[in-house]
Amino acid sequence: GENVEQHPSTLSVQEGDSAVIKCTYSDSASNYFPWYKQELGKRPQLIIDIRSNVGEKKDQRIAVTLNKTAKHFSLHITETQPEDSAVYFCAAGRFGSQGNLIFGKGTKLSVKP
Amino acid sequence: GAGVSQTPSNKVTEKGKYVELRCDPISGHTALYWYRQSLGQGPEFLIYFQGTGAADDSGLPNDRFFAVRPEGSVSTLKIQRTERGDSAVYLCASSPTGAANSPLHFGNGTRLTVT
């Protein structure tokens, strides 16, 4: 089955700096890669996703890149703000197939003012 | 509109007891998922329903865990003979179609503590 590895487990940056979180996956059939943000004590919420037919997707300060050959994808947050502080989870699944998502273990991002 | 609702929000039970956790998905969502999240970990898949049937129950850890969705809406996760290792936050999510790219909408979870 699918296995998703996520690094780093914790990340601390200064406000305004960029943050990068990386994930690798094992199942070459996976072709859908969402990212979720979970604030302390709250539910995970989808922030951005990418399908395997594109290499990069951007939404304001957030971007995701995908390298299908190497089976890894990354989340990039630019101009970080204190409200970006949360735990971020990557996940992998199969577009067009009914099924579940496999999540990474999460990255705790702290943005210091 | 209303999001995914889970009850109770917290449940404390003694080892060996039986518990039921309830999930009300977003109206009209055909797919419903149960995940378990331990402290410091990502959500771990348990079971997925498409309509009334369990399309994939490969994540259930053992036969003490069971889930139903009899009318294709509300789902109940049932845990028999609870163990301390079952302590976690149990998250329910629903999505419109169940395709893997269909966004998951999570509930706030039920925090289960087995003493």
Side-chain angles (χ1 to χ4, degrees):
Chain A
E2 176 64 278
N3 182 50
V4 177
E5 299 283 340
Q6 183 172 348
H7 300 280
S9 56
T10 61
L11 179 60
S12 181
V13 299
Q14 287 296 131
E15 182 177 1
D17 287 350
S18 295
V20 180
I21 303 170
K22 298 181 179 181
C23 288
T24 60
Y25 61 98
S26 62
D27 186 355
S28 56
S30 290
N31 51 20
Y32 174 65
F33 308 95
W35 286 86
Y36 284 79
K37 175 183 180 181
Q38 187 175 31
E39 296 177 5
L40 189 63
K42 296 191 176 180
R43 68 187 76 183
Q45 292 194 305
L46 179 70
I47 55 172
I48 194 168
D49 57 14
I50 190 169
R51 300 175 188 175
S52 61
N53 57 344
V54 298
E56 182 174 0
K57 183 177 179 180
K58 196 171 183 179
D59 182 3
Q60 299 182 343
R61 296 187 296 109
I62 295 173
V64 58
T65 59
L66 170 66
N67 182 328
K68 280 215 72 176
T69 303
K71 289 192 282 188
H72 66 70
F73 56 112
S74 301
L75 178 71
H76 304 253
I77 306 174
T78 58
E79 301 171 26
T80 53
Q81 301 167 2
E83 51 266 39
D84 294 330
S85 296
V87 178
Y88 291 81
F89 295 98
C90 62
R94 297 185 188 185
F95 171 71
S97 298
Q98 293 180 345
N100 67 85
L101 291 173
I102 303 299
F103 285 80
K105 291 187 176 182
T107 297
K108 183 177 181 181
L109 173 65
S110 300
V111 180
K112 300 184 177 181
Chain B
V4 176
S5 175
Q6 291 187 248
T7 55
S9 55
N10 281 283
K11 176 70 177 178
V12 181
T13 191
E14 292 181 348
K15 180 175 177 295
K17 299 290 187 182
Y18 167 82
V19 295
E20 289 189 353
L21 312 179
R22 177 188 168 106
C23 173
D24 279 273
I26 294 172
S27 178
H29 281 194
T30 62
L32 184 147
Y33 303 78
W34 283 99
Y35 282 83
R36 177 170 69 176
Q37 188 174 24
S38 300
L39 192 63
Q41 302 293 315
E44 173 194 3
F45 170 73
L46 296 177
I47 186 170
Y48 152 62
F49 288 90
Q50 184 61 246
T52 61
D56 184 353
D57 64 357
S58 62
L60 295 177
N62 51 61
D63 61 6
R64 295 186 298 106
F65 288 75
F66 189 70
V68 295
R69 195 186 185 199
E71 297 178 358
S73 179
V74 171
S75 177
T76 304
L77 178 65
K78 308 180 180 191
I79 310 174
Q80 298 177 322
R81 305 183 303 280
T82 51
E83 300 178 357
R84 292 195 180 89
D86 298 335
S87 297
V89 175
Y90 287 81
L91 291 167
C92 176
S94 69
S95 73
T97 67
N101 64 311
S102 183
L104 295 186
H105 300 263
F106 282 92
N108 283 327
T110 293
R111 181 176 297 279
L112 175 65
T113 303
V114 182
T115 62

